[in-house]
Amino acid sequence: MLISAGDNLGGYKILEYKAVVFGTASSAEGSNYRQTALKKACENADLLGANALINMHIEICQIADKTQEATVYGDAVIVKIDSDYGLATGEIHEHKVNLEAYLPKARKSEIARVQEANGYKFVACPRCGTKYKTDVDANGDVHIKGFHDVDDDEPGLQIFCLRCGTKFTVPGTK
Ligand SMILES: [Zn+2]
């Protein structure tokens, strides 16, 4: 099975698009779960009679504490050697894909501890201990007045400590 993250394969002509195929695997199945997910997607492409997977994408998501799930998807296609391209060989070579390059987004900032005082909940900066009063909205989401999320890539609410500048995560109530 030829694999490409792009929408074509150099030296090959796409004859037919079969379907979008998927493969999933979780890290509970072993540390090579990304390769397993790719293998499953390739098997599904193979079942359709395809000999290549193009537009290959992989998404990693956190499904539980310490458990990630990889989903590989792409277009199953039939390709043949493009004779105009001048390839001497008639063989189709297996392409190796480095899936280790696709790592799940890690939580980078420390999670602040919640403290309660006088009926209010506070979070304390993990580095300097400066306290911030939290508000909980009708949806149960935690906010800190005057602060907004500074990191869209990390799950949850991240703020910068006003005193020491440390970025930290404000834990939710749920
Ligand atoms: Zn601080």
Side-chain angles (χ1 to χ4, degrees), residues 85-110:
Y85 199 78
L87 278 180
T89 170
E91 280 173 47
I92 287 183
H93 298 283
E94 190 85 14
H95 284 212
K96 292 271 182 265
V97 178
N98 179 15
L99 291 179
E100 298 310 309
Y102 298 91
L103 290 170
K105 280 176 184 166
R107 184 187 281 283
K108 284 157 276 164
S109 63
E110 215 172 311

mmCIF file of all heavy atoms in Angstrom, residues 85-110:
data_model
loop_
_atom_site.group_PDB
_atom_site.id
_atom_site.type_symbol
_atom_site.label_atom_id
_atom_site.label_comp_id
_atom_site.label_asym_id
_atom_site.label_seq_id
_atom_site.Cartn_x
_atom_site.Cartn_y
_atom_site.Cartn_z
ATOM 1 N N TYR A 85 6.150 9.923 -16.530
ATOM 2 C CA TYR A 85 7.046 10.391 -15.479
ATOM 3 C C TYR A 85 8.454 9.823 -15.653
ATOM 4 O O TYR A 85 9.406 10.315 -15.081
ATOM 5 C CB TYR A 85 6.458 9.962 -14.125
ATOM 6 C CG TYR A 85 6.990 10.726 -12.941
ATOM 7 C CD1 TYR A 85 6.519 12.009 -12.654
ATOM 8 C CD2 TYR A 85 7.946 10.166 -12.104
ATOM 9 C CE1 TYR A 85 6.991 12.697 -11.569
ATOM 10 C CE2 TYR A 85 8.421 10.846 -11.008
ATOM 11 C CZ TYR A 85 7.946 12.121 -10.744
ATOM 12 O OH TYR A 85 8.411 12.792 -9.660
ATOM 13 N N GLY A 86 8.536 8.771 -16.463
ATOM 14 C CA GLY A 86 9.852 8.234 -16.804
ATOM 15 C C GLY A 86 10.438 7.268 -15.797
ATOM 16 O O GLY A 86 11.649 7.116 -15.712
ATOM 17 N N LEU A 87 9.559 6.636 -14.997
ATOM 18 C CA LEU A 87 10.084 5.646 -14.053
ATOM 19 C C LEU A 87 10.414 4.365 -14.807
ATOM 20 O O LEU A 87 9.607 3.859 -15.572
ATOM 21 C CB LEU A 87 9.053 5.327 -12.968
ATOM 22 C CG LEU A 87 8.953 6.286 -11.796
ATOM 23 C CD1 LEU A 87 7.896 5.814 -10.833
ATOM 24 C CD2 LEU A 87 10.283 6.439 -11.083
ATOM 25 N N ALA A 88 11.597 3.830 -14.575
ATOM 26 C CA ALA A 88 12.017 2.639 -15.291
ATOM 27 C C ALA A 88 11.368 1.380 -14.726
ATOM 28 O O ALA A 88 11.124 0.421 -15.435
ATOM 29 C CB ALA A 88 13.539 2.509 -15.221
ATOM 30 N N THR A 89 11.080 1.419 -13.425
ATOM 31 C CA THR A 89 10.576 0.220 -12.783
ATOM 32 C C THR A 89 9.049 0.145 -12.832
ATOM 33 O O THR A 89 8.369 1.162 -12.807
ATOM 34 C CB THR A 89 11.066 0.133 -11.317
ATOM 35 O OG1 THR A 89 10.356 -0.913 -10.674
ATOM 36 C CG2 THR A 89 10.817 1.426 -10.573
ATOM 37 N N GLY A 90 8.548 -1.052 -12.900
ATOM 38 C CA GLY A 90 7.110 -1.246 -12.889
ATOM 39 C C GLY A 90 6.590 -1.609 -11.512
ATOM 40 O O GLY A 90 5.429 -1.888 -11.334
ATOM 41 N N GLU A 91 7.499 -1.613 -10.546
ATOM 42 C CA GLU A 91 7.107 -2.032 -9.206
ATOM 43 C C GLU A 91 6.554 -0.867 -8.390
ATOM 44 O O GLU A 91 6.944 0.270 -8.576
ATOM 45 C CB GLU A 91 8.334 -2.564 -8.455
ATOM 46 C CG GLU A 91 8.702 -3.974 -8.819
ATOM 47 C CD GLU A 91 10.011 -4.359 -8.165
ATOM 48 O OE1 GLU A 91 10.170 -4.101 -6.973
ATOM 49 O OE2 GLU A 91 10.866 -4.899 -8.890
ATOM 50 N N ILE A 92 5.659 -1.199 -7.495
ATOM 51 C CA ILE A 92 5.169 -0.202 -6.553
ATOM 52 C C ILE A 92 5.884 -0.417 -5.234
ATOM 53 O O ILE A 92 5.910 -1.518 -4.692
ATOM 54 C CB ILE A 92 3.638 -0.303 -6.390
ATOM 55 C CG1 ILE A 92 2.974 0.239 -7.665
ATOM 56 C CG2 ILE A 92 3.166 0.456 -5.167
ATOM 57 C CD1 ILE A 92 1.476 0.262 -7.627
ATOM 58 N N HIS A 93 6.533 0.620 -4.785
ATOM 59 C CA HIS A 93 7.310 0.498 -3.544
ATOM 60 C C HIS A 93 6.486 0.930 -2.346
ATOM 61 O O HIS A 93 5.692 1.858 -2.420
ATOM 62 C CB HIS A 93 8.573 1.352 -3.631
ATOM 63 C CG HIS A 93 9.479 0.923 -4.719
ATOM 64 N ND1 HIS A 93 10.290 -0.170 -4.613
ATOM 65 C CD2 HIS A 93 9.659 1.422 -5.976
ATOM 66 C CE1 HIS A 93 10.963 -0.314 -5.749
ATOM 67 N NE2 HIS A 93 10.591 0.624 -6.587
ATOM 68 N N GLU A 94 6.717 0.241 -1.287
ATOM 69 C CA GLU A 94 6.075 0.584 -0.019
ATOM 70 C C GLU A 94 6.676 1.894 0.498
ATOM 71 O O GLU A 94 7.880 2.045 0.537
ATOM 72 C CB GLU A 94 6.346 -0.540 0.982
ATOM 73 C CG GLU A 94 5.569 -0.452 2.260
ATOM 74 C CD GLU A 94 4.182 -1.063 2.145
ATOM 75 O OE1 GLU A 94 3.917 -1.792 1.166
ATOM 76 O OE2 GLU A 94 3.367 -0.799 3.029
ATOM 77 N N HIS A 95 5.829 2.844 0.850
ATOM 78 C CA HIS A 95 6.343 4.076 1.441
ATOM 79 C C HIS A 95 6.297 3.968 2.945
ATOM 80 O O HIS A 95 5.321 3.515 3.516
ATOM 81 C CB HIS A 95 5.499 5.285 1.014
ATOM 82 C CG HIS A 95 5.772 5.718 -0.385
ATOM 83 N ND1 HIS A 95 5.686 7.020 -0.774
ATOM 84 C CD2 HIS A 95 6.125 5.007 -1.484
ATOM 85 C CE1 HIS A 95 5.992 7.102 -2.060
ATOM 86 N NE2 HIS A 95 6.242 5.892 -2.514
ATOM 87 N N LYS A 96 7.338 4.387 3.554
ATOM 88 C CA LYS A 96 7.373 4.365 5.023
ATOM 89 C C LYS A 96 6.918 5.731 5.539
ATOM 90 O O LYS A 96 7.293 6.772 5.013
ATOM 91 C CB LYS A 96 8.797 4.083 5.504
ATOM 92 C CG LYS A 96 9.240 2.656 5.176
ATOM 93 C CD LYS A 96 8.873 1.690 6.303
ATOM 94 C CE LYS A 96 9.356 0.272 6.023
ATOM 95 N NZ LYS A 96 8.330 -0.555 5.402
ATOM 96 N N VAL A 97 6.087 5.682 6.542
ATOM 97 C CA VAL A 97 5.588 6.922 7.134
ATOM 98 C C VAL A 97 6.072 6.996 8.572
ATOM 99 O O VAL A 97 5.958 6.032 9.313
ATOM 100 C CB VAL A 97 4.037 6.946 7.114
ATOM 101 C CG1 VAL A 97 3.515 8.215 7.762
ATOM 102 C CG2 VAL A 97 3.518 6.812 5.705
ATOM 103 N N ASN A 98 6.623 8.136 8.916
ATOM 104 C CA ASN A 98 7.078 8.299 10.296
ATOM 105 C C ASN A 98 5.934 8.844 11.146
ATOM 106 O O ASN A 98 5.695 10.042 11.197
ATOM 107 C CB ASN A 98 8.278 9.235 10.356
ATOM 108 C CG ASN A 98 8.747 9.434 11.772
ATOM 109 O OD1 ASN A 98 8.359 8.679 12.674
ATOM 110 N ND2 ASN A 98 9.563 10.439 11.979
ATOM 111 N N LEU A 99 5.229 7.946 11.802
ATOM 112 C CA LEU A 99 4.091 8.381 12.612
ATOM 113 C C LEU A 99 4.531 8.929 13.967
ATOM 114 O O LEU A 99 3.750 9.535 14.669
ATOM 115 C CB LEU A 99 3.121 7.214 12.827
ATOM 116 C CG LEU A 99 2.370 6.770 11.577
ATOM 117 C CD1 LEU A 99 1.477 5.599 11.903
ATOM 118 C CD2 LEU A 99 1.549 7.894 10.983
ATOM 119 N N GLU A 100 5.779 8.717 14.302
ATOM 120 C CA GLU A 100 6.252 9.267 15.581
ATOM 121 C C GLU A 100 6.240 10.796 15.553
ATOM 122 O O GLU A 100 6.284 11.437 16.593
ATOM 123 C CB GLU A 100 7.663 8.758 15.893
ATOM 124 C CG GLU A 100 7.752 7.243 16.051
ATOM 125 C CD GLU A 100 6.702 6.673 16.996
ATOM 126 O OE1 GLU A 100 6.572 7.185 18.121
ATOM 127 O OE2 GLU A 100 6.005 5.725 16.603
ATOM 128 N N ALA A 101 6.181 11.346 14.339
ATOM 129 C CA ALA A 101 6.141 12.800 14.231
ATOM 130 C C ALA A 101 4.797 13.353 14.702
ATOM 131 O O ALA A 101 4.676 14.519 15.038
ATOM 132 C CB ALA A 101 6.395 13.228 12.792
ATOM 133 N N TYR A 102 3.778 12.481 14.728
ATOM 134 C CA TYR A 102 2.452 12.930 15.146
ATOM 135 C C TYR A 102 2.268 12.585 16.619
ATOM 136 O O TYR A 102 1.912 11.464 16.946
ATOM 137 C CB TYR A 102 1.359 12.237 14.344
ATOM 138 C CG TYR A 102 1.408 12.506 12.866
ATOM 139 C CD1 TYR A 102 2.117 11.675 12.019
ATOM 140 C CD2 TYR A 102 0.720 13.586 12.333
ATOM 141 C CE1 TYR A 102 2.149 11.909 10.656
ATOM 142 C CE2 TYR A 102 0.747 13.822 10.975
ATOM 143 C CZ TYR A 102 1.465 12.980 10.144
ATOM 144 O OH TYR A 102 1.494 13.205 8.809
ATOM 145 N N LEU A 103 2.536 13.528 17.466
ATOM 146 C CA LEU A 103 2.418 13.253 18.893
ATOM 147 C C LEU A 103 1.192 13.968 19.449
ATOM 148 O O LEU A 103 0.821 15.037 18.966
ATOM 149 C CB LEU A 103 3.676 13.731 19.627
ATOM 150 C CG LEU A 103 4.931 12.905 19.322
ATOM 151 C CD1 LEU A 103 6.158 13.591 19.886
ATOM 152 C CD2 LEU A 103 4.799 11.504 19.897
ATOM 153 N N PRO A 104 0.569 13.392 20.460
ATOM 154 C CA PRO A 104 -0.582 14.081 21.028
ATOM 155 C C PRO A 104 -0.147 15.391 21.682
ATOM 156 O O PRO A 104 0.978 15.516 22.126
ATOM 157 C CB PRO A 104 -1.102 13.100 22.081
ATOM 158 C CG PRO A 104 0.038 12.213 22.388
ATOM 159 C CD PRO A 104 0.884 12.145 21.152
ATOM 160 N N LYS A 105 -1.057 16.336 21.700
ATOM 161 C CA LYS A 105 -0.759 17.604 22.347
ATOM 162 C C LYS A 105 -0.663 17.373 23.852
ATOM 163 O O LYS A 105 -1.585 16.857 24.469
ATOM 164 C CB LYS A 105 -1.867 18.616 22.055
ATOM 165 C CG LYS A 105 -1.709 19.244 20.690
ATOM 166 C CD LYS A 105 -2.860 20.159 20.378
ATOM 167 C CE LYS A 105 -2.728 20.690 18.957
ATOM 168 N NZ LYS A 105 -3.975 21.300 18.510
ATOM 169 N N ALA A 106 0.450 17.726 24.385
ATOM 170 C CA ALA A 106 0.661 17.482 25.814
ATOM 171 C C ALA A 106 0.171 18.679 26.626
ATOM 172 O O ALA A 106 0.192 19.814 26.152
ATOM 173 C CB ALA A 106 2.138 17.257 26.075
ATOM 174 N N ARG A 107 -0.284 18.391 27.820
ATOM 175 C CA ARG A 107 -0.611 19.475 28.733
ATOM 176 C C ARG A 107 0.720 19.979 29.267
ATOM 177 O O ARG A 107 1.492 19.242 29.853
ATOM 178 C CB ARG A 107 -1.487 18.926 29.858
ATOM 179 C CG ARG A 107 -1.951 19.989 30.809
ATOM 180 C CD ARG A 107 -2.650 19.327 31.966
ATOM 181 N NE ARG A 107 -4.013 18.922 31.645
ATOM 182 C CZ ARG A 107 -5.037 19.757 31.584
ATOM 183 N NH1 ARG A 107 -4.865 21.047 31.810
ATOM 184 N NH2 ARG A 107 -6.248 19.310 31.315
ATOM 185 N N LYS A 108 1.009 21.243 28.983
ATOM 186 C CA LYS A 108 2.334 21.741 29.296
ATOM 187 C C LYS A 108 2.392 22.484 30.628
ATOM 188 O O LYS A 108 3.394 22.498 31.288
ATOM 189 C CB LYS A 108 2.821 22.663 28.175
ATOM 190 C CG LYS A 108 3.262 21.899 26.932
ATOM 191 C CD LYS A 108 3.207 22.775 25.685
ATOM 192 C CE LYS A 108 1.825 22.808 25.107
ATOM 193 N NZ LYS A 108 1.505 23.815 24.170
ATOM 194 N N SER A 109 1.290 23.129 30.989
ATOM 195 C CA SER A 109 1.376 23.954 32.194
ATOM 196 C C SER A 109 0.834 23.213 33.407
ATOM 197 O O SER A 109 -0.027 22.337 33.301
ATOM 198 C CB SER A 109 0.632 25.268 31.973
ATOM 199 O OG SER A 109 -0.734 25.028 31.751
ATOM 200 N N GLU A 110 1.359 23.591 34.533
ATOM 201 C CA GLU A 110 0.967 22.962 35.792
ATOM 202 C C GLU A 110 -0.482 23.332 36.144
ATOM 203 O O GLU A 110 -0.951 24.417 35.812
ATOM 204 C CB GLU A 110 1.907 23.464 36.881
ATOM 205 C CG GLU A 110 2.211 22.414 37.912
ATOM 206 C CD GLU A 110 3.297 22.890 38.860
ATOM 207 O OE1 GLU A 110 4.342 23.380 38.364
ATOM 208 O OE2 GLU A 110 3.092 22.780 40.061
#
